[in-house]
Amino acid sequence: MAFTNNTMIVRHRLLKELVSLWKNNELVEKIDRLPIELTPKKSKHAGRCCIHKERAVWKYKSLPLLGLDMEDETDELTPLSEYAARALNRAENGRPKERIMCVIDEACSACVQINYEITNLCRGCIARSCLTNCPKNAVSLKENSQARIDHDVCISCGICHKSCPYHAIVYIPVPCEEACPVKAISKDEEGIEHIDESKCIYCGKCLNACPFGAIFEISQVFDVLHRIRKGEQMVAIVAPSILGQFDTTIEQVYGALKEVGFADVIEVAQGAMDTVSNEAHELVEKLEEGQKFMTTSCCPSYIELVNKHIPAMKPYVSGTGSPMYYAARIAKKKHPDASVVFIGPCLAKRKEAQWDEAVDFVLTFEEMASVLAGLDIRIKEAKPYPMTFASVREAHGFAQAGGVMGAVISYLKEEAADINAIQVANLDKKNIGTLRAYAKTGKVPGQFVEVMACEGGCITGPCAHNEVVAGKRQLVQELAKQEKTY
């Protein structure tokens, strides 16, 4: 994998080590030594005050990978081995947590506490626009006539920043807060970020925005692995964006999943074909009934956005199930007694799985790569596992922006001649504002709107394994090999 930053390397390495311990039946017995082995005595770690802090961070980052979160800690003296035992007990007798994400408080300790600061570029000018325009009188002058901000009074409105003629006032973003398009993450009274799940749409933008790797998804890896070890039948349904994740044939990727212990592998692209046909017919029916437009329903982050932030959009959202929805039912019909495990690049699929009784667990491509490494499974050496069902190219194309829209139009053929389809790819603040306007006015420059949380589509999801550019390129190459089409 082409890791783009060190936080990704840390996540991968830690989960790999945990899986390796599990593989050797040593997870409980040896996990307490893992932080020490990862940060040995006299090692140097830029960004942390000392090795003890780094070891503490390793410990707490292990909790969400074990399927726990920070609220599970009631005593700081509780060793990791006890948490590991709890995780395995949950895998044996319980269900994964409903919470999707958590913030590692020990890692979330070095971020900026202020948003605006006056630099030494300040010329102490006579205009003093920063001072004059501040609504809270938070700006004053030092003895040398340079301006200063009283951060106890400042409300971070940014007026001083905009008014300074020398650009001497800088805006210092909090990366995770800046990335969140719905203001679902903010600091608590202790300066630690907190995720408000009543607002969160699980787009995962904060996950990779945090420079300290303090935001984690709560993993279901050991819930799945434990059940496989017990001999339970587990079926993997794999998202279309798998085509852009691993540098080998797709048959070998599926073969590697079989080596993990999955009883069968089913492509979610097969379910996408049901989504296409159902959504196409629904679109035609609604337009004939006089509805002005219809949006897609595949992206669970978009559904969360509508439910929590744009309820006026609900009448315009397709009632068709997502590809995961249909693929899970295909899997259940083929293997009635099996548990279904969705594998993809999406954080929000964990939330969708909570709505869907046919999906039992969700793993990400990032987690799957760590599992394969921890189990010492080499994908390029895996025995190929070919699919018995060949999905159309357009169904595999759901992985990229415009894919859903293009598939529906291709399916409708002549019926789509008068349908103008548009896409909203990337649920950022600007695009969310656009969707609000669409819902409020009903005025849309198209009758069919594809909405995806991730810029570029699922292939750029927050939990993808491959680097974005390489993943897109590989996906395009793999799509070109698909012969079956509408």
Side-chain angles (χ1 to χ4, degrees), residues 16 55 68 82 126 152 157 164 263 318 340 356 372 398 441 457:
K16 171 191 170 184
R55 289 171 179 174
L68 305 168
E82 184 171 324
I126 299 300
D152 292 330
C157 65
C164 177
S318 168
V340 174
D356 191 344
L372 293 173
F398 267 51
T441 65

Side-chain angles (χ1 to χ4, degrees), residues 35 51-61 104 106:
I51 61 170
H52 307 293
K53 174 73 171 181
E54 187 72 12
R55 289 171 179 174
V57 172
W58 282 119
K59 173 185 175 181
Y60 288 113
K61 284 185 175 181
I104 313 297
E106 283 293 332

Side-chain angles (χ1 to χ4, degrees), residues 170-302:
V170 295
Y171 170 63
I172 309 170
V174 177
C176 59
E177 293 180 13
E178 186 84 351
C180 180
V182 292
K183 298 182 179 179
I185 186 165
S186 59
K187 283 181 168 52
D188 61 19
E189 61 276 4
E190 296 177 352
I192 304 300
E193 294 295 335
H194 170 75
I195 298 172
D196 184 348
E197 294 216 9
S198 69
K199 296 179 180 179
C200 183
I201 62 173
Y202 312 105
C203 62
K205 294 183 186 295
C206 63
L207 185 72
N208 293 316
C210 175
F212 287 89
I215 303 174
F216 269 65
E217 57 188 312
I218 298 176
S219 180
Q220 298 175 7
V221 162
F222 291 99
D223 298 272
V224 173
L225 291 179
H226 184 74
R227 283 167 171 79
I228 289 175
R229 176 172 280 174
K230 281 175 60 181
E232 292 186 20
Q233 195 176 39
M234 311 291 282
V235 175
I237 59 173
V238 188
S241 47
I242 188 68
L243 293 179
Q245 298 303 308
F246 298 95
D247 185 22
T248 187
T249 67
I250 193 61
E251 291 79 14
Q252 283 186 302
V253 174
Y254 296 153
L257 294 180
K258 287 283 289 180
E259 284 191 36
V260 171
F262 288 103
D264 196 6
V265 180
I266 294 172
E267 290 181 324
V268 172
Q270 185 176 346
M273 293 178 66
D274 290 329
T275 296
V276 171
S277 59
N278 291 333
E279 198 154 69
H281 293 134
E282 183 183 3
L283 173 63
V284 171
E285 289 174 8
K286 288 193 172 181
L287 293 180
E288 288 177 348
E289 291 170 358
Q291 183 167 304
K292 295 179 180 179
F293 71 98
M294 186 183 83
T295 74
T296 55
S297 58
C298 296
C299 176
S301 282
Y302 171 55

